[in-house]
Amino acid sequence: MALNETHHPPTPAVLEAVREAAARSHRTLDALASGLTSTLAEHLQVPPHDVMVGPGSGALLQLLFTAFTGPDSHTVHAWPSWEAYPMMARNAGSSVVRVPLTDERHDLPALAAAVTDRTRMVVVCNPNNPTGTVLAPGALADFLDRLPGHVTVVLDEAYLDFADPGSTDDGIDLYRRDERVCVVRTFSKSHGLLSLRVGYLVGRPRVLDPLRGQQLFLRVSAAAQAAAIASLGEIADVSGRCRETARERDRLHRILTGQGWVCAPSQANFVWLPLTDGVEELTQHCADHGILVCGKPGEGLRVTLAERAANDAFAARAAAFLTEQGSHA
């Protein structure tokens, strides 16, 4: 429960597609993933030229940092958010401006106020990792209106498939209206293809064309392409698994808040317990009972949803920890 993985294995159709691709692994096959690109374009109802696939959303995010930032520039993003953003900026010779969350949510006015002439990108993780919170419908459209034209806005939607319908904006709708918007998504989470490494960008030529020269060096394996195409063909099953995870997420959230924990409702496949103190102790308490969770000292604890029994086991440890802390008070 420390990593944002799904406990659902790939479907039989996906496994069969991987086996068939592996049997032809001595051939070049679709080196630039044109088949997957076309399938995604049809699935999303966007032009194929506006789609770019790569070996996971992380690799594509790094490419965006490399292409659009560099020395004497910076990227604005919320904090806490995905810890890889500052690392990607450093890899690009750039820096970041971290804007604190307000009530565990993005503070969009503060994010807009942090943008300067040196800002090249704004990254919005929605739902946010590690808090699981989302932006209200319409909030991002208003936010875009506040930003200058030179800024590229990257919407990291790795966990959007777990969000309740209508709970937040769909980045694809925003990309259609604003050429500055680039949407980053992955097959690692909801589709359960984490180890196969396949993700994609959706953006206008203004954003994607500068990245095309690197596409040959960011190739997606034939097996991963086959798995992604097969998984898109089983989107109803994927969506059903996401809804099952969401129900467990909401159930665990109710249990934890009933115990006395204060945490914002999540729209991802994890829950977040904000803690300034005691993170290391709670993380170790769980580990002592065979439960691994992601503790971020001084910030909080992120718990990825797993099987119902595992979720209940964590809830029991969370309750026991509160009891022990109370007895020591």
Side-chain angles (χ1 to χ4, degrees), residues 93-104:
S94 182
S95 60
V96 297
V97 175
R98 304 183 187 186
V99 178
L101 300 174
T102 299
D103 296 328
E104 308 304 323

Side-chain angles (χ1 to χ4, degrees), residues 31 47 52 57 61 66 81 100 133 191 195 241 269 274 284 300 313:
M52 181 176 179
S57 59
L61 282 162
T66 301
S81 195
T133 50
H191 290 264
S195 293
R241 292 178 172 195
N269 66 329
Q284 188 61 53

Side-chain angles (χ1 to χ4, degrees), residues 37-121:
T37 299
S38 297
T39 302
L40 279 167
E42 182 178 357
H43 174 69
L44 300 169
Q45 297 186 327
V46 302
H49 189 73
D50 288 0
V51 179
M52 181 176 179
V53 302
S57 59
L60 294 168
L61 282 162
Q62 182 64 77
L63 183 57
L64 286 165
F65 273 93
T66 301
F68 290 105
T69 73
D72 299 322
S73 71
H74 63 242
T75 296
V76 172
H77 64 78
W79 196 259
S81 195
W82 191 27
E83 61 270 14
Y85 299 147
M87 292 186 285
M88 292 175 179
R90 287 195 296 271
N91 290 340
S94 182
S95 60
V96 297
V97 175
R98 304 183 187 186
V99 178
L101 300 174
T102 299
D103 296 328
E104 308 304 323
R105 291 173 170 82
H106 283 75
D107 186 337
L108 292 181
L111 281 171
V115 172
T116 70
D117 291 342
R118 293 180 54 208
T119 308
R120 292 297 172 266
M121 290 199 314

Side-chain angles (χ1 to χ4, degrees), residues 1-6 189 194 269 292-294 302 304-305:
M1 305 174 81
L3 300 175
N4 284 339
E5 304 168 337
T6 176
K189 311 304 181 182
L194 182 60
N269 66 329
L292 300 182
V293 293
C294 180
R302 189 192 66 204
T304 301
L305 274 297

Side-chain angles (χ1 to χ4, degrees), residues 154-272:
V154 179
L155 303 181
D156 185 348
E157 296 185 337
Y159 304 98
L160 185 66
D161 288 342
F162 299 102
D164 296 336
S167 62
T168 191
D169 290 314
D170 185 320
I172 301 299
D173 293 335
L174 295 167
Y175 131 86
R176 296 183 201 279
R177 304 204 305 258
D178 194 320
E179 67 174 2
R180 297 172 298 171
V181 172
C182 177
V183 181
V184 187
R185 292 181 178 175
T186 180
F187 285 86
S188 295
K189 311 304 181 182
S190 57
H191 290 264
L193 305 183
L194 182 60
S195 293
L196 288 176
R197 309 304 308 149
V198 54
Y200 60 96
L201 303 178
V202 179
R204 301 286 189 86
R206 158 187 164 151
V207 178
L208 296 193
D209 282 355
L211 313 180
R212 297 290 183 191
Q214 296 298 316
Q215 192 167 14
L216 182 63
F217 307 102
L218 284 170
R219 288 165 60 174
V220 178
S221 73
Q225 293 178 48
I229 291 172
S231 193
L232 287 171
E234 301 209 312
I235 198 65
D237 185 70
V238 171
S239 297
R241 292 178 172 195
C242 290
R243 299 280 68 78
E244 177 187 323
T245 297
R247 287 191 294 270
E248 271 297 286
R249 173 198 68 208
D250 295 343
R251 186 181 72 87
L252 181 59
H253 181 266
R254 288 193 298 270
I255 293 172
L256 293 173
T257 53
Q259 292 173 355
W261 295 98
V262 177
C263 52
S266 171
Q267 290 292 326
N269 66 329
F270 47 83
V271 295
W272 171 250

